[in-house]
Amino acid sequence: MTLDVATPDRPELESAMSAEDYEDVTVEGDEYRREELAEALDDGAWAQAFESWAAETNLDEADWDVVTDLDLVEEFDFFWDSFAGRVGYHAPGLPENWRERNIHPDIESWETVSSINASLTELGQVVCDVLADDYLDWEADEVDAGDLPDF
């Protein structure tokens, strides 16, 4: 399915936010390079990634309206994970207690919540892939073998 909507503005990247504050992300280091990532997003990575994602997503326009009504795109965060040598991200999502909080009148089922959350996660990954493949040429920090986790 193709989502035929205008590309939204890219999210602002909060330079004061520590990636360690996210429950769904594990990051080593504190050099997030958000300004450089923002430049790459402005240089076309955001539009390219969004268009690629929109061509493949299962999200429909009604669900996209929920995303835009709640300004969820603005809640994305992208950052450099120097230890792993990759762009990391935090995708926004609808909370588990969506029904009790009555966060949007068009959300009526777990299917809608799950679809929106999964689709936003997919968008975050597509953005990271586009950045890594087409816009960035960064390497992981050199790591002392003693700093690697035991498996």
Side-chain angles (χ1 to χ4, degrees), residues 4-151:
D4 188 19
V5 296
T7 301
D9 292 338
R10 71 153 174 89
E12 296 295 320
L13 304 183
E14 295 291 328
S15 60
M17 184 72 166
S18 171
E20 295 174 8
D21 292 338
Y22 298 124
E23 294 177 10
D24 59 343
V25 177
T26 302
V27 178
E28 300 290 330
D30 58 4
E31 183 63 37
Y32 301 127
R33 301 177 82 167
R34 286 189 175 106
E35 288 180 18
E36 293 165 276
L37 290 171
E39 288 175 18
L41 292 172
D42 288 339
D43 288 344
W46 176 254
Q48 180 182 338
F50 187 84
E51 289 171 16
S52 176
W53 171 81
E56 301 292 326
T57 188
N58 291 323
L59 207 63
D60 63 26
E61 289 185 24
D63 290 344
W64 181 251
D65 288 343
V66 171
V67 170
T68 57
D69 288 350
L70 296 174
D71 292 323
L72 293 177
V73 170
E74 185 57 38
E75 294 180 30
F76 268 103
D77 190 17
F78 298 94
F79 46 85
W80 178 246
D81 181 346
S82 60
F83 184 79
R86 66 175 176 85
V87 177
Y89 71 97
H90 170 76
L94 300 173
E96 290 182 16
N97 63 350
W98 59 272
R99 190 179 308 270
E100 293 84 15
R101 292 177 53 192
N102 196 26
I103 61 174
H104 195 281
D106 293 336
I107 300 175
E108 299 176 357
S109 71
W110 272 108
E111 182 180 357
T112 298
V113 170
S114 295
S115 177
I116 289 171
N117 288 349
S119 295
L120 291 176
T121 298
E122 291 167 359
L123 174 57
Q125 187 60 56
V126 171
V127 171
C128 290
D129 292 345
V130 167
L131 284 166
D133 294 345
D134 300 335
Y135 289 84
L136 306 177
D137 188 21
W138 299 342
E139 297 293 327
D141 288 346
E142 290 295 322
V143 178
D144 182 324
D147 291 339
L148 295 174
D150 294 327
F151 294 103

